[in-house]
């Protein structure tokens, strides 16, 4: 086993422990726990069995396993970015509504 594999496995275990900790603290939903746990477990499997990506790459018509990892990673990052932008816009709208409601209430109280 290469040093990088050992270091990455240690990192993935640490990340998995943090995911469980966040769930137990109430900061993460069950769906989030499952998603992130699966993510770190799959990452560990890919690190332990690097040729597994080549197998899946050939199944979908991509030449190298590393290319498949890059493509999937980029798609996932952009999807997560999209979801975050939607959430931020929703929060901004909620804050605006709340600010207006408070301002109107304060205006009525001052009259």
């Amino acid at each position: 086993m290469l040093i990088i594999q050992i270091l990455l496995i240690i990192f993935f275990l640490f990340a998995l422990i943090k995911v469980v900790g966040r769930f137990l603290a109430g900061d993460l939903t069950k769906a989030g726990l499952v998603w992130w746990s699966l993510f770190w477990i799959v990452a560990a499997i890919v690190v332990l069995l690097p040729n597994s990506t080549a197998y899946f790459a050939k199944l979908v018509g991509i030449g190298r396993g590393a290319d498949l990892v890059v493509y999937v990673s980029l798609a996932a990052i952009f999807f997560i970015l999209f979801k975050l932008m939607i959430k931020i816009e929703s929060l901004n709208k909620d804050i605006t509504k709340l600010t207006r409601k408070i301002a109107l209430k304060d205006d009525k109280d001052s009259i």
Side-chain angles (χ1 to χ4, degrees):
M1 185 177 286
L2 300 174
I3 293 174
I4 189 67
Q5 287 175 308
I6 294 169
L7 292 174
L8 285 172
I9 294 299
I10 291 169
F11 174 77
F12 296 153
L13 286 174
F14 175 74
L16 193 55
I17 290 168
K18 293 300 273 182
V19 166
V20 172
R22 289 292 181 182
F23 173 73
L24 294 176
D27 298 332
L28 195 60
T29 63
K30 284 183 184 179
L33 172 69
V34 170
W35 164 252
W36 286 109
S37 296
L38 283 174
F39 175 82
W40 293 118
I41 290 168
V42 168
I45 291 169
V46 167
V47 167
L48 290 173
L49 304 169
N51 291 334
S52 62
T53 58
Y55 171 76
F56 289 110
K58 288 185 197 266
L59 282 178
V60 295
I62 298 174
R64 299 180 315 157
D67 292 341
L68 175 66
V69 171
V70 169
Y71 299 154
V72 171
S73 298
L74 281 172
I77 287 169
F78 281 115
F79 178 73
I80 291 169
L81 180 63
F82 172 73
K83 287 188 62 127
L84 284 172
M85 287 180 61
I86 297 291
K87 184 67 172 174
I88 289 169
E89 288 178 18
S90 174
L91 288 172
N92 281 338
K93 287 179 184 177
D94 291 345
I95 289 170
T96 301
K97 288 178 186 175
L98 184 60
T99 304
R100 286 180 183 155
K101 190 178 274 190
I102 291 171
L104 290 173
K105 182 178 184 250
D106 287 346
D107 188 41
K108 289 179 184 177
D109 290 343
S110 65
I111 295 178

